Amino acid sequence: MTSMDASNASAMSRRQFLVVSLSAAGGLAIGFSLPDLARAEAILPEPWSETAGDEINAWILIEPDDTVVIRVAQSEMGEGVFTALPMIVAEELACDWEKVRPEYASANRNLRENNVYGRMLTGGSSAVRRSREFLQQAGASARERLIHAAADRWGVPAAACTAKDSMVTHAESGRSLRYGELAADAAKVKLATEPAIKTPDQYTLIGQPKARLDTPPKLNGTAHFGIDTRLPDMLYAAVVTCPVFGGSLKSYDAKAIEGRRGVKAVVPIPGGVAVVADRFWRAKEAAAALPVTWDEGPAANTDSAQFAEAYRTALNGPAATARKQGDVMKALTDGKRVEALYEVPHLAHAPMEPLNCTAHVQPDRVDVWIGTQYPEAALELAAKAASVAREKVEVHNCFLGGGFGRRAVNDELTQAVLVSKAVGKPVKLVWTREEDMRHDRYRPQAAIRFEAALGPDGMPKGLRVRTAVGSIERSLGWGSPDKGIEPSAVEGLANQPYEVGAVEVDCVLKNTHVPVMFWRSVGSSQNAFAMEGFIDELAYAAGDDPYRFRRKLLAGKDDFLRVLDTIAEKSDWSKPMPAGQGRGIAIHESFGTIVGEVAEVTVSPKGEVRVERVVAAVDCGHVVNPRTVEMQIESGVVYGLSAALFGEITIDKGAVVQGNFDDYQVVRLADMPRIETHLALSGGSKWGGIGEPGTPPIAPAVCNAIFAATGKRIRRLPIKDFDLSGERS
């Protein structure tokens, strides 16, 4: 930066930084190209921007130059919805895909117009599977209105006209009109009946690999994330909250930081205080220097070791039954017994963009700029915090720098609104990485116990599973789950697909003071690790190959077998491996999608684990964009692999120990395995999710591979805590 003065450097945009960084490396930019730059304006920097044009319906707006704006009611946090959902609409609209531009739908409009966009919450891998039909219908309806508008102008029957590539054509006369020329008239057309939507065999766009529309702006630095928000006269806020969950603020000495440069105010917030300044760094440093006294409460005497023991003990107490099939107790007394206890720790969401929100509270209007998975709930939170009617709140949703479930509950939004209201100016409130890590709502801790009996033929005669796990519903304040069973607590256990004879699955919901919430793949993240690890144990106890053993237990389930056979074939499952190397296999269904994975690992004599290769197969029924499926499986594998190898939130004296990526490690580029993704689609009426199902199988596949390489069974995560050293034979 020798050629720039300090003021220019501070004002540099992300796009400028990318360009300067490339060229400053002595010509590194030469030959460097960004993909699809011809479509760099496919998404506006502010994805909530109002656009000029003629609105055909709430989802579709067409500009005079034939640009088709398609509104997206789901949040783009890297999972590709800003491409997949417009593809669904465009499939029926028969428009030129190169002229499509997505933008966020308005949560305020959704409120005002009786839920016109339906469910805007992005979670549960549901963006495509829960909105595909009505998005197709929106596109089909708009297409027919355009056709009717052209037919009326020409005085011909609508049935004699066709739409394709953003043109309506009357074949007999050879006349045609562009969508941009017809949009105003089409907006006035009332259809007597809505057209039928296409079936999968009629698709021409859905199912085709398409480059993601959000890639160019994210590469060139123009994409607007919440943390990029800049407003005139804006102030910045940093927060300090009680290190022990449930604790409260006793006192603070604002006078101690009054003279610090740029500091404007100290504002109490729930559980702590916010320091407001003219620069974030000044706010952060002042917050760190602010004398604060906490009432940490009784939870200050707790730690992770106590929790682990409490969860194990809970397995011996009362439990609710989630599934009961046959006489399990009798089955367990007749055969070769196999027992195991699996345990997992709390996990942080750890998004790369820490939580942040910019709020501007005015007497007659409240605006918030935030990356949220749940715009309707964000609107409600802002209205409550500002004490205004919901209709006076506008949520400007931004791109999310990672969500994984955490950004469905926006604690930072309430704080930002309260601070803006207190100081009377727009305020950008940012959590530091440490605040984000230590005040997350975590993946629950759990202990899962298995008991099984094998018959003389090596096949299971009975299986009993009992889990003790934190209740997400209780932690979120939703009340006590019905009959003591929470779906996420037993997913992947109560609905496991194997034929294992008599079955009983029991559930103990046990919470500590640590808040828990939905984490990518939710209960499947821990339950797949435990179930697939134990199935592997049964295979070895039966003297059988883990792949062939699973195949027997899945007999007659063609969709599972297709996935299982695909990963076995593509991974060269039967090919021997050298000493110190092993393959592990796992298969799991979540969010309507079956994913199987084979992991190849190398374990050195020093106990160092390296995952070399992961082969995955997917059955989500149908796919909108195969590129997105591949990306999401890779993303899910990396996220789950980080947790399996390193992920662990520990509690000491009631507070979270980890604070940044130095002590909450994630998989880095040098650690990355080769990942291969194969489609094994069953088609039919099945439309499964894809954002989360790649995560659950990776931990058991890796641990099963470690067992194959070393003979050491890992039943408690993370893997880093185990001594795997020793010579290999």
Side-chain angles (χ1 to χ4, degrees):
M1 290 178 39
T2 56
S3 62
M4 291 177 264
D5 62 31
S7 61
N8 285 338
S10 65
M12 187 188 300
S13 70
R14 227 162 353 118
R15 177 182 174 84
Q16 290 169 327
F17 173 77
L18 287 169
V19 173
V20 171
S21 298
L22 289 168
S23 59
L28 180 61
I30 297 174
F32 180 87
S33 62
L34 301 179
D36 296 328
L37 280 187
R39 300 212 64 197
E41 297 305 318
I43 298 176
L44 295 176
E46 296 81 18
W48 61 81
S49 301
E50 291 295 329
T51 314
D54 293 291
E55 186 175 280
I56 311 301
N57 55 41
W59 298 96
I60 300 165
L61 181 147
I62 300 177
E63 298 178 350
D65 66 355
D66 296 337
T67 296
V68 177
V69 176
I70 297 178
R71 296 193 175 112
V72 178
Q74 305 294 297
S75 299
E76 178 58 79
M77 51 186 169
E79 80 282 32
V81 298
F82 250 53
T83 304
L85 299 190
M87 285 178 69
I88 295 172
V89 176
E91 173 67 58
E92 296 282 358
L93 185 57
C95 61
D96 181 350
W97 176 248
E98 295 301 313
K99 295 180 179 179
V100 167
R101 187 179 73 228
E103 69 178 23
Y104 274 130
S106 166
N108 186 285
R109 179 175 181 176
N110 200 49
L111 171 68
R112 288 184 282 107
E113 297 185 18
N114 194 30
N115 206 34
V116 66
Y117 293 115
R119 174 182 178 271
M120 297 182 74
L121 169 65
T122 304
S125 301
S126 63
V128 167
R129 61 194 179 111
R130 292 191 179 178
S131 56
R132 176 190 57 84
E133 289 189 49
F134 64 73
L135 289 180
Q136 278 192 244
Q137 195 65 63
S141 180
R143 181 195 69 235
E144 289 305 304
R145 290 161 126 186
L146 289 159
I147 289 173
H148 276 74
D152 289 346
R153 191 176 296 186
W154 294 325
V156 300
C161 303
T162 56
K164 185 179 180 181
D165 294 334
S166 294
M167 299 278 290
V168 177
T169 302
H170 181 238
E172 186 176 340
S173 65
R175 290 176 291 186
S176 61
L177 287 167
R178 296 181 294 103
Y179 278 10
E181 298 173 294
L182 294 167
D185 291 340
K188 303 171 187 175
V189 171
K190 304 292 183 184
L191 297 176
T193 58
E194 288 294 321
I197 63 174
K198 293 180 181 180
T199 53
D201 59 298
Q202 299 171 311
Y203 294 156
T204 57
L205 180 61
I206 292 176
Q208 299 302 309
K210 292 293 180 182
R212 281 176 47 166
L213 300 181
D214 58 323
T215 298
K218 288 177 178 177
L219 284 176
N220 66 28
T222 61
H224 190 116
F225 293 81
I227 206 165
D228 295 324
T229 303
R230 300 287 188 275
L231 299 176
D233 205 26
M234 182 177 77
L235 297 175
Y236 296 79
V239 299
V240 182
T241 50
C242 185
V244 179
F245 299 105
S248 60
L249 176 69
K250 287 182 69 175
S251 65
Y252 62 94
D253 183 8
K255 290 184 178 180
I257 61 170
E258 273 184 358
R260 295 180 72 102
R261 185 181 180 189
V263 172
K264 304 295 184 182
V266 179
V267 180
I269 57 173
V273 292
V275 176
V276 185
D278 60 352
R279 298 285 187 273
F280 177 70
W281 182 258
R282 293 171 183 170
K284 171 186 174 296
E285 290 296 286
L290 179 69
V292 181
T293 303
W294 306 106
D295 179 0
E296 296 182 337
N301 298 316
T302 61
D303 59 42
S304 291
Q306 294 173 11
F307 294 161
E309 183 60 33
Y311 277 97
R312 294 184 203 116
T313 301
L315 292 173
N316 299 318
T321 299
R323 178 181 176 185
K324 189 173 178 62
Q325 172 186 312
D327 190 340
V328 173
M329 298 311 296
K330 180 180 180 182
L332 293 179
T333 60
D334 183 19
K336 181 180 180 180
R337 292 270 299 201
V338 183
E339 300 180 4
L341 173 67
Y342 283 76
E343 297 174 280
V344 296
H346 288 108
L347 292 174
H349 292 84
M352 290 305 296
E353 179 193 13
L355 297 189
N356 65 88
C357 177
T358 301
H360 190 192
V361 179
Q362 303 173 78
D364 60 344
R365 179 184 172 103
V366 176
D367 289 87
V368 293
W369 289 261
I370 188 172
T372 177
Q373 293 178 236
Y374 200 173
E376 306 107 300
L379 189 151
E380 298 274 357
L381 282 175
K384 182 178 179 181
S387 299
V388 301
R390 297 178 300 165
E391 291 77 11
K392 292 187 176 183
V393 177
E394 192 70 53
V395 175
H396 306 278
N397 204 5
C398 308
F399 293 123
L400 284 64
F404 316 119
R406 178 61 178 101
R407 282 187 156 96
V409 176
N410 299 117
D411 303 293
E412 73 281 21
L413 183 150
T414 297
Q415 296 173 347
V417 171
L418 290 172
V419 175
S420 176
K421 184 179 180 181
V423 302
K425 289 188 175 184
V427 173
K428 179 197 283 188
L429 183 145
V430 180
W431 287 20
T432 62
R433 174 66 61 197
E434 288 75 15
E435 187 76 16
D436 191 280
M437 193 75 75
R438 292 177 177 147
H439 290 85
D440 198 353
R441 295 169 180 261
Y442 305 89
R443 199 282 304 273
Q445 184 172 357
I448 307 171
R449 187 172 65 204
F450 293 88
E451 303 168 81
L454 300 176
D457 59 355
M459 298 298 286
K461 301 185 67 175
L463 172 68
R464 187 183 184 196
V465 185
R466 179 166 286 209
T467 180
V469 63
S471 166
I472 293 172
E473 294 179 18
R474 286 179 189 164
S475 189
L476 289 172
W478 296 355
S480 296
D482 184 41
K483 299 180 181 178
I485 300 171
E486 194 166 286
S488 63
V490 295
E491 66 182 38
L493 298 177
N495 62 333
Q496 60 83 21
Y498 297 111
E499 179 52 60
V500 290
V503 178
E504 183 177 324
V505 178
D506 299 325
C507 176
V508 181
L509 296 177
K510 180 175 179 57
N511 289 75
T512 68
H513 76 297
V514 179
V516 296
M517 203 179 74
F518 306 105
W519 187 90
R520 190 173 189 171
S521 78
V522 201
S524 287
S525 67
Q526 74 262 10
N527 293 340
F529 160 64
M531 176 60 71
E532 286 301 291
F534 189 66
I535 291 295
D536 230 58
E537 294 200 50
L538 293 181
Y540 280 95
D544 208 344
D545 173 83
Y547 157 60
R548 287 191 290 269
F549 185 73
R550 284 173 171 80
R551 214 178 185 291
K552 295 173 187 175
L553 300 185
L554 293 169
K557 298 187 176 179
D558 293 342
D559 49 358
F560 275 90
L561 291 175
R562 184 184 297 106
V563 171
L564 192 67
D565 290 344
T566 299
I567 55 175
E569 175 191 351
K570 299 297 183 180
S571 68
D572 300 318
W573 176 261
S574 300
K575 184 178 178 180
M577 300 197 77
Q581 296 183 17
R583 289 190 190 92
I585 193 168
I587 189 169
H588 186 78
E589 182 176 20
S590 60
F591 308 99
T593 293
I594 301 167
V595 176
E597 292 170 6
V598 169
E600 292 182 2
V601 306
T602 299
V603 185
S604 74
K606 293 181 180 180
E608 300 161 326
V609 176
R610 179 170 180 82
V611 182
E612 309 282 359
R613 180 187 182 209
V614 176
V615 178
V618 185
D619 178 19
C620 51
H622 300 275
V623 300
V624 174
N625 188 349
R627 287 192 184 182
T628 298
V629 173
E630 184 176 8
M631 291 174 184
Q632 284 305 288
I633 292 299
E634 291 172 353
S635 170
V637 166
V638 173
Y639 199 71
L641 186 58
S642 293
L645 292 173
F646 315 116
E648 184 177 29
I649 287 293
T650 54
I651 306 297
D652 183 42
K653 296 179 181 177
V656 172
V657 173
Q658 291 74 20
N660 212 315
F661 290 118
D662 58 339
D663 52 11
Y664 191 83
Q665 190 177 343
V666 296
V667 169
R668 290 164 170 79
L669 194 58
D671 305 318
M672 272 295 296
R674 290 181 292 120
I675 303 175
E676 305 167 21
T677 301
H678 303 274
L679 297 178
L681 304 177
S682 55
S685 60
K686 179 175 181 176
W687 287 83
I690 201 63
E692 297 169 270
T695 297
I698 188 61
V702 169
C703 290
N704 292 340
I706 289 172
F707 176 80
T710 67
K712 297 182 179 182
R713 182 69 68 180
I714 294 177
R715 301 188 182 96
R716 186 179 71 251
L717 295 177
I719 295 167
K720 70 178 178 63
D721 291 344
F722 275 79
D723 180 5
L724 296 170
S725 60
E727 294 300 321
R728 314 297 177 212
S729 57

